[in-house]
């Protein structure tokens, strides 16, 4: 998509700015720091693994950073992850090659997997690494009809903010996330807006406000009751 360009964030890691939405893919205070805190520490690391695999769903593949950090976790702990992600607008490969995530000292050993995640076909599951399968769905979330009821242990809800795309944060949109989660499953998001938290409660989540990464006082974790 025209109008996307690489940016540097304050922890030294890169991200992408989208001129159409006038929004960046991650916090300008630190892309890797934010992804780690919101999705890996507050979500993935909280899951009990009872086998045979963890099922994760992400809204918004984007740079693949959340998927990449999850892949590193699956390799380091030998926990199989089946990762499903939806995105309507795929990032161009010339931008993918400019991202510095696979050059980070702790992630360098997974660099080939990072590029493989971006190169594999959309629309079918692909084995990326020993413990990591990726199924990329190219579709507008508004058209997504969940066929996976009660399927996922964890959702990373990483849409652009409610001010930018309010239709992704309304009752019907959030209800879809509730449907595809297992009982006790978690939804994590950087968004801490009061109206979004109230909708999540109304839909049937228990909502927790957690400390946010730099530049963000709180983030949200919701548990499906
Ligand atoms: C905040 S970015 C996601 C960042 C990503 N998780 C990462 O780590 O780079 C939001 C993403 O949502 C996608 N998106 C926007 N509207 C969408 C829609 N209606 N359906 C599906 N994806 C959408 C954009 O293409 C973009 O990749």
């Amino acid at each position: 998509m025209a109008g996307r360009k690489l940016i540097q964030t304050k922890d030294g890691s890169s991200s992408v700015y989208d001129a159409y939405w006038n929004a960046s893919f991650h916090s300008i205070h630190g892309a890797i720091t934010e992804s780690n805190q919101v999705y890996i520490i507050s979500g993935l690391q909280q899951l009990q693994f009872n086998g045979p695999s963890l099922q994760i769903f992400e809204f918004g593949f984007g740079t693949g950073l959340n998927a990449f950090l999850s892949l590193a976790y699956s390799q380091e702990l030998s926990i199989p992850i089946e990762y499903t992600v939806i995105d309507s607008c795929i990032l161009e490969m010339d931008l993918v090659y400019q991202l510095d995530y696979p050059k980070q000292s702790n992630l360098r050993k997974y660099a080939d997997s990072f590029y493989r995640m971006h190169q594999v076909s959309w629309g079918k599951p692909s084995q990326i690494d020993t413990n990591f399968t990726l199924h990329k769905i190219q579709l507008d979330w508004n058209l997504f009809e969940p066929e996976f009821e009660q399927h996922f242990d964890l959702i990373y809800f990483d849409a652009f903010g409610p001010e930018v795309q309010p239709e992704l944060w309304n009752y019907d949109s959030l209800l879809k996330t509730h449907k595809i989660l297992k009982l006790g499953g978690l939804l994590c998001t950087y968004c801490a807006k009061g109206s979004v938290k109230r909708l999540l409660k109304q839909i049937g989540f228990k909502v927790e406000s957690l400390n946010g990464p730099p530049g963000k006082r709180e983030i949200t974790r919701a548990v499906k009751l």
Side-chain angles (χ1 to χ4, degrees):
M1 187 198 215
R4 286 181 165 179
K5 64 168 190 184
L6 198 80
I7 56 168
Q8 275 315 110
T9 67
K10 286 189 185 153
D11 67 358
S13 61
S14 46
S15 182
V16 169
Y17 168 77
D18 186 317
Y20 179 79
W21 294 112
N22 187 21
S24 60
F25 280 29
H26 305 96
S27 161
I28 54 160
H29 297 277
I32 290 188
T33 308
E34 179 190 47
S35 284
N36 249 325
Q37 173 102 24
V38 178
Y39 302 107
I40 307 302
I41 297 173
S42 309
L44 186 50
Q45 289 184 7
Q46 306 306 317
L47 293 181
Q48 301 275 358
F49 175 60
N50 302 314
S53 60
L54 293 177
Q55 301 289 335
I56 301 181
F57 183 91
E58 179 178 18
F59 178 101
F61 184 61
T63 63
L65 176 57
N66 293 334
F68 187 41
L69 295 178
S70 304
L71 178 140
Y73 181 86
S74 76
Q75 297 310 112
E76 274 148 32
L77 278 81
S78 294
I79 294 180
I81 291 181
E82 292 184 35
Y83 199 99
T84 303
V85 67
I86 191 166
D87 206 307
S88 53
C89 183
I90 302 169
L91 196 65
E92 305 89 329
M93 280 310 282
D94 66 322
L95 275 179
V96 169
Y97 288 119
Q98 293 176 51
L99 294 165
D100 64 353
Y101 312 140
K103 300 186 187 97
Q104 303 288 322
S105 56
N106 58 328
L107 297 170
R108 210 171 288 148
K109 52 183 174 291
Y110 307 120
D112 289 349
S113 297
F114 178 74
Y115 296 115
R116 210 172 304 129
M117 287 196 310
H118 283 278
Q119 286 156 349
V120 292
S121 306
W122 289 73
K124 65 181 174 80
S126 301
Q127 189 81 36
I128 304 294
D129 214 326
T130 331
N131 288 308
F132 197 86
T133 305
L134 178 65
H135 183 182
K136 298 187 292 185
I137 300 170
Q138 186 179 13
L139 187 67
D140 186 328
W141 170 255
N142 298 305
L143 305 175
F144 179 61
E145 295 291 343
E147 53 188 80
F148 313 101
E149 291 215 2
Q150 308 226 9
H151 184 77
F152 293 99
D153 299 290
L154 176 61
I155 294 178
Y156 302 155
F157 200 75
D158 201 10
F160 292 128
E163 300 76 17
V164 181
Q165 288 188 285
E167 74 283 6
L168 302 176
W169 300 89
N170 67 21
Y171 184 91
D172 289 342
S173 172
L174 296 172
L175 184 62
K176 280 191 211 175
T177 67
H178 188 267
K179 275 195 186 144
I180 62 176
L181 268 180
K182 291 178 187 166
L183 283 180
L186 304 178
L187 176 144
C188 294
T189 180
Y190 66 89
C191 176
K193 199 173 174 178
S195 57
V196 170
K197 291 195 281 188
R198 282 192 290 280
L199 279 180
L200 289 168
K201 279 185 199 156
Q202 205 182 324
I203 286 166
F205 286 101
K206 181 180 134 211
V207 177
E208 302 170 285
S209 297
L210 309 176
N211 289 334
K216 184 123 193 67
R217 198 165 58 84
E218 284 183 347
I219 58 173
T220 303
R221 180 170 64 206
V223 187
K224 177 168 173 174
L225 298 175

